[in-house]
Every structure is written in structure tokens, then in C-alpha cells.
Amino acid sequence: MVRRSAVRRRPPPSDGYLYEPSERRIRGTWAGHTVIDTVRALLVWPPGHPVPFYLFPRDDVRTDLLSPAPVPGDRNDVGQWFDLTDGETRSPAAAFDLDVAGLEEYVGFEWFGHQRPGIEHPGGPGIQHPGGPGIQHPGGPGIQHWYEEDTEIFVHPRDPYHRVDALPSSRHVQVSVAGTVVADTRTPVLLFETRLPVRYYLPPADVDFSVLEETDLHTSCPYKGTARYWTFTGSPRVENVAWAYPDPIPAVAPIAGHVAFYNEKVDLVVDGVPVPRPGG
């Protein structure tokens, strides 16, 4: 009898575009116009990029607001760029047709020309994902507000295969920065997010804010909300090492107001066992 073997589950590799239909009602507004209103969008994953974007059937797009535009950058998968214009306001290179077999009849849009509700800090609790098909291009402001059903969404569409669970716990968590204990709790909330390290969110009463200084940085995550940040003021100084979501989205409500620290920059001890730093 041949013994079976097991391998760790990984996302399937692909050199092409992946897509699947979405049944959510998607709307996009710009300059007071509803430019997109559809229940027939496609979620599309471009090769080499971990998050999806939406494509929309032409019949569900205000194509009268689209004007052909010159190519804004070096892209070989876009057949045509379009400006958004209503005669008074113009947003350059805000929409595109992909030159990809099977997707030619759909229109895509840059997700955000403005960075609201925050600008994502690379490597932070979320990731900044540029507009269009997952690659930054030098276009102007695109669609200003996006809605899935009646909920406004930010940064990028939520991936249906990306899970985030916020679980209250009784584990004993201690956090030290450069040898200084900055937090110690037995009532953390553990946040498990697909393909990311476990993040330990700690009640503010169990965090020593005398060695932390709030910064001006605010970031956005489509799965959690808008975060604020703190810098460790000891020696050596560690910038933006901690963050919290004062008003997270309902799916992760238990982390509201709790403080998390970068596992990559601090020393974590959980139930007496040191936690290796990611990538270490």
C-alpha cells in the first residue's frame, strides 16, 4: 500500500488573469454622477498581484462620460485608456479596456485618485493597493466613492478568499521594544488574517503609553478600517511601531481601540514562549 503524503496548502499559481462573477451590487460615483451601477461585475485577479479589482459590463457604465485618452504609462495589457469627463470636470486616465482575451467587453476603473480615509503604510496592518488592475499608473483621480450594496468600501475590493477573524483570548501576551516592556495583558484579541502573521491586539489599559507617542500617520485597510499609529520613544526610537483601529468595521469589532505592535519590530512572548519575528 502506497503511503499518502501531505503538502501545505498554497494559493494556486497562475500566469494569467483569473476572474469570477460577483453577485454584489457595485456602484461608483464621481463628480456627482453615478458612473457604475451593476450586479454583473467580475472580480479579477491579475497575474502576480494578491488582491482583485472589478470589471464592469459596458451596459452598466456611463460610457457617455468616457473620452479616449493617451496611454499614461508603460502597460501592455490595456487596449485603451479613457478620461472621465462631464464637460466641466476631467479625471485623466481614470478608466481602461483590458486587452485580455475574454475580458474585452468590460470596463475597469482606477479605484482611488484620492487617498481616503487614509494612506496605507507599506507593511502596516493593511497594504496599499493601487488603482486599476493592481498596478500603479500615473493617471488622475478616478472614481471617488465605491459601494458594495449600501456599504462604502476603501482601498480595494474585499477578496472573498481572504479571511479575517478577530477572536478574544485569555492568552498571556507581553510586548517589549528594545528591552522595555510596553504591554502586558491576559485579555488580548488575536487577529488571524489570511497569509499574514497573527496580530495581537491589546486593551489600552494594559499598554504603557508613557513610552509611546502618537504620530500623524493614518492608514486604511478594506478588512479592518482606518488605523492610527504610535512611535516608541525609547532608545532606539522605533517609528510607527504600534497601531489601533478606533472604529473598525463590524466584522472585526472586538479589536476596537485595542493596540497592536509589529511582530517584526518587537519581542513578543505568548504564554511564556517567545514568538519568532516573521521572516526571522
Side-chain angles (χ1 to χ4, degrees), residues 129-250:
H129 296 296
I135 303 172
Q136 186 67 54
H137 67 74
I143 297 296
Q144 294 166 318
H145 299 279
W146 288 101
Y147 300 89
E148 292 183 347
E149 299 299 333
D150 292 333
T151 299
E152 188 168 11
I153 56 176
F154 301 96
V155 187
H156 63 77
R158 296 172 189 161
D159 187 331
Y161 301 105
H162 186 106
R163 188 176 179 89
V164 181
D165 293 310
L167 304 180
S169 174
S170 58
R171 296 201 204 186
H172 183 198
V173 178
Q174 297 172 298
V175 181
S176 299
V177 183
T180 300
V181 176
V182 295
D184 189 324
T185 189
R186 294 181 182 272
T187 56
V189 175
L190 274 57
L191 189 132
F192 300 90
E193 185 167 0
T194 304
R195 294 189 293 276
L196 292 177
V198 177
R199 299 300 188 188
Y200 299 86
Y201 283 80
L202 315 179
D206 294 335
V207 176
D208 183 2
F209 285 96
S210 70
V211 293
L212 298 176
E213 177 182 84
E214 188 166 2
T215 74
D216 293 332
L217 180 64
H218 291 80
T219 71
S220 301
C221 171
Y223 305 104
K224 296 184 285 293
T226 300
R228 54 195 288 213
Y229 284 78
W230 288 266
T231 285
F232 175 69
T233 58
S235 180
R237 185 179 177 92
V238 184
E239 300 290 337
N240 297 311
V241 69
W243 70 88
Y245 290 93
D247 186 24
I249 67 172

Side-chain angles (χ1 to χ4, degrees), residues 96-150:
F96 53 87
D97 288 339
L98 281 180
D99 185 19
V100 175
L103 301 177
E104 305 97 326
E105 300 304 315
Y106 292 83
V107 180
F109 286 82
E110 181 181 359
W111 265 77
F112 293 103
H114 62 86
Q115 295 290 343
R116 294 299 303 159
I119 301 175
E120 186 55 71
H121 177 60
I127 301 173
Q128 179 181 353
H129 296 296
I135 303 172
Q136 186 67 54
H137 67 74
I143 297 296
Q144 294 166 318
H145 299 279
W146 288 101
Y147 300 89
E148 292 183 347
E149 299 299 333
D150 292 333

Side-chain angles (χ1 to χ4, degrees), residues 45-58:
W45 289 260
H49 292 271
V51 299
F53 64 94
Y54 279 119
L55 289 180
F56 307 100
R58 291 183 183 280

